[in-house]
Amino acid sequence: MDEAAASRKRARTSNSQDATRPNAGPQSGGGDSAAVRDKDYWFEDGNIVLVARGISFKVYKGLLAEHSSVFRSMFLVAQASPQPAEQSVDGCPVVYLDDAPEDLRQFFKFIFPLGSSIRLNQGPAIDIDMLAALIRLDHKYELPSLHQQAVSFLSTYYTTNFDAWADGANATHWHPEPIHAITAISIARLTNTPSILPTAFYQLATLPPAVLLAGYTSSTPTPASTNASESRDAPTMTMHRLSQTELALCLQFRDALLALNMESAFALFKTTNVTCTARGHCSMYTRHVLDYTGQGELPHPLASNRALDSWMPNIEQEHAPLGFKHRSMCRNCRADFAYREREIRRETWRKLPGILGLTIDGWDEEIGNT
């Protein structure tokens, strides 16, 4: 993080009086393009104009400075050498940025809320692209509060705690699509947050290979024109895929999960409970369930890389065939099976970092002890 902080770029102040102009097209003879005013973040009483890749934002420099030490320092420098009036827009100084406009919009949602205050713990408003945008901007503009919230949000879902994962407590406020773990891995690498990686890789490794290889696309809407007669361009599409290195690691992870799943099944279904009250029936029954598990006819198949899935649905769905004295397990054996299957899954969970060659402090500690 120190190296990243040292390499952060500073935005530059514009000396062009044509820095922003509603609905203007590309300028001829120069490297800059006239900018289109953003439909949401152009406040009439704003006091700073930011121009990013042809889109201009008129916002409030005081709030920017409050959240970003880089902006704060930049504005102090600008005050020492103010722009001439003819080089400003609406009497406001103009600053050029090289960030993606959509990244800035995601940032502005939090410091310039529209309609109602938006907070990170309001799940429906959150998506992986928003969190990634906030974290990317932190690396340039030093936004510690939003950065910490964004990383915390990711770390809550891509948890280190097995019980939170198994019980769904990690997904109380937010439930990204499994394929979005591609971006979670990218963020984990960028922020040096390895605790995110095992759960993210697990989600990707359990996807069908075609889905994993295809990745996913996210769309960035083009700004609405202020001229009703002008058509709106198609959204900009961004493709997200694993790098070749990450893909190779994910495929190795996938193979390891398959082996762990088989190991878990045999350890679970072939163990006899000494407190069985059905005189050996239950051990025969669990071997029967194992046979059908191996044939792929039950919810959790033997040949599966979903090694953290519960085995209980197999017990609940498959009844003993005719000729067995009982249709299922006795109460003692069922309780013993439920306890052992969760602990076996927990042991699998504890092996996830090692498969990736990681040692993660606090992996699978109780949430209250982290």
Side-chain angles (χ1 to χ4, degrees):
M1 187 67 72
D2 291 339
E3 293 181 3
S7 66
R8 287 171 177 146
K9 301 177 182 177
R10 297 302 191 262
R12 62 185 177 88
T13 309
S14 169
N15 292 319
S16 170
Q17 72 184 79
D18 293 324
T20 179
R21 181 186 304 154
N23 300 320
Q27 294 177 330
S28 60
D32 294 331
S33 298
V36 177
R37 293 181 179 182
D38 188 78
K39 67 182 182 67
D40 290 324
Y41 296 102
W42 183 272
F43 301 114
E44 291 302 324
D45 60 342
N47 55 9
I48 189 77
V49 173
L50 307 179
V51 181
R53 302 183 189 179
I55 306 300
S56 59
F57 306 88
K58 187 179 179 184
V59 291
Y60 307 100
K61 65 180 182 180
L63 282 172
L64 284 173
E66 177 70 23
H67 287 275
S68 167
S69 61
V70 175
F71 277 120
R72 183 163 56 251
S73 299
M74 180 181 65
F75 296 151
L76 289 173
V77 172
Q79 282 180 343
S81 55
Q83 293 176 328
E86 65 272 13
Q87 294 181 358
S88 62
V89 173
D90 291 349
C92 302
V94 181
V95 175
Y96 272 111
L97 309 174
D98 60 4
D99 304 288
E102 184 59 22
D103 280 2
L104 291 172
R105 291 188 190 101
Q106 299 285 10
F107 172 39
F108 293 160
K109 284 181 181 180
F110 294 96
I111 61 173
F112 307 125
L114 302 174
S116 62
S117 179
I118 301 175
R119 295 172 297 174
L120 279 179
N121 62 356
Q122 294 177 329
I126 293 297
D127 60 44
I128 191 74
D129 295 324
M130 176 185 292
L131 298 177
L134 293 176
I135 290 169
R136 282 195 299 268
L137 288 176
D138 166 74
H139 270 246
K140 181 173 182 180
Y141 295 114
E142 299 175 9
L143 314 167
S145 175
L146 290 176
H147 171 269
Q148 291 167 8
Q149 290 185 66
V151 172
S152 176
F153 221 82
L154 284 167
S155 299
T156 297
Y157 181 78
Y158 297 102
T159 181
T160 63
N161 181 265
F162 170 72
D163 290 319
W165 176 265
D167 298 335
N170 65 312
T172 302
H173 298 297
W174 179 51
H175 197 300
E177 296 294 326
I179 194 65
H180 291 166
I182 290 174
T183 298
I185 289 170
S186 176
I187 294 172
R189 302 295 193 195
L190 177 66
T191 60
N192 191 27
T193 313
S195 61
I196 293 173
L197 293 172
T199 315
F201 269 105
Y202 177 81
Q203 288 221 303
L204 293 179
T206 57
L207 291 173
V211 175
L212 174 63
L213 293 173
Y216 75 98
T217 57
S218 60
S219 62
T220 301
T222 55
S225 172
T226 57
N227 187 338
S229 65
E230 293 185 6
S231 61
R232 188 185 182 99
D233 294 334
T236 301
M237 306 303 292
T238 302
M239 174 60 67
H240 304 269
R241 289 195 179 101
L242 289 177
S243 68
Q244 289 299 310
T245 300
E246 303 286 26
L247 179 60
L249 187 57
C250 189
L251 294 177
Q252 294 172 11
F253 197 78
R254 182 185 177 90
D255 290 343
L257 289 174
L258 177 60
L260 284 171
N261 193 66
M262 293 184 175
E263 178 184 315
S264 297
F266 283 102
L268 179 62
F269 286 97
K270 288 199 168 184
T271 300
T272 300
N273 176 24
V274 296
T275 65
C276 176
T277 61
R279 298 183 179 179
H281 157 83
C282 295
S283 62
M284 295 173 58
Y285 168 74
T286 54
R287 283 169 173 75
H288 165 76
V289 174
L290 178 60
D291 288 342
Y292 276 76
T293 298
Q295 295 171 31
E297 297 184 10
L298 294 177
H300 189 162
L302 185 63
S304 169
N305 44 42
R306 301 189 62 87
L308 295 177
D309 282 4
S310 175
W311 295 98
M312 292 304 296
N314 290 22
I315 293 292
E316 292 162 356
Q317 179 171 316
E318 180 58 24
H319 296 296
L322 295 176
F324 276 60
K325 184 176 181 180
H326 304 285
R327 297 289 283 165
S328 185
M329 290 189 289
C330 71
R331 181 179 300 178
N332 285 358
C333 287
R334 183 181 179 84
D336 177 72
F337 184 92
Y339 172 80
R340 287 189 297 107
E341 78 92 31
R342 190 173 181 98
E343 291 308 302
I344 284 174
R345 290 161 58 211
R346 188 188 306 278
E347 286 304 310
T348 297
W349 177 268
R350 289 172 175 167
K351 294 174 182 177
L352 298 186
I355 299 173
L356 297 172
L358 298 172
T359 300
I360 298 175
D361 292 338
W363 184 259
D364 200 37
E365 285 185 359
E366 293 183 14
I367 293 178
N369 294 335
T370 56

